[in-house]
Amino acid sequence: HDALPIYNVKDKEIFSYTYSGYIKVPASGVYTLYSESNDGSLLYLDGKLVVDNDLHHKVQEGFSKIALKAGWHSIKLEYFQMGGGKALRVSWKGPGFKKQEIPSNVLFH
């Protein structure tokens, strides 16, 4: 997670980021998507809100199960920071693998 730009932001006040691109789903099946953040985050797949972890709060994790076909899907993450500590982690669990941070080799922009 150290590579995410939010950890390098010097401003401790209000800011937000939007990450968007594509994710390559390795196999068709049911996936659980997780978004762990403080203050708030919204995770979209194929234009549909799948994890709503929005509101001013301490670090907490929201999740959702969704059936996905193998192949490319659009992904967008909106992150909101209202001051104080920063936290953001996006993970998934799917057919043949346990919960893990979404690896960079399946994300493209």
Side-chain angles (χ1 to χ4, degrees):
H1 69 270
D2 294 330
L4 287 172
I6 64 161
Y7 297 100
N8 298 320
V9 172
K10 306 241 186 287
D11 189 0
K12 296 196 183 294
E13 299 304 317
I14 298 170
F15 67 89
S16 66
Y17 278 116
T18 298
Y19 302 91
S20 62
Y22 296 90
I23 185 168
K24 188 172 186 181
V25 172
S28 296
V30 176
Y31 287 77
T32 305
L33 298 163
Y34 305 87
S35 176
E36 179 183 338
S37 63
N38 68 317
D39 294 338
S41 58
L42 300 171
L43 181 62
Y44 300 84
L45 272 182
D46 297 325
K48 179 182 175 190
L49 180 62
V50 292
V51 180
D52 183 347
N53 192 10
D54 188 18
L55 289 179
H56 186 67
H57 54 70
K58 295 179 183 178
V59 177
Q60 69 181 32
E61 183 176 70
F63 69 93
S64 179
K65 289 186 177 186
I66 185 170
L68 295 171
K69 290 184 179 182
W72 296 98
H73 296 267
S74 66
I75 186 169
K76 181 171 86 168
L77 174 68
E78 296 176 341
Y79 171 71
F80 315 100
Q81 175 58 40
M82 302 303 290
K86 299 172 227 151
L88 178 62
R89 181 183 315 263
V90 180
S91 306
W92 66 346
K93 176 174 63 174
F97 63 92
K98 295 180 180 183
K99 183 180 175 187
Q100 62 181 337
E101 284 188 42
I102 296 177
S104 61
N105 67 340
V106 301
L107 294 171
F108 302 88
H109 62 90

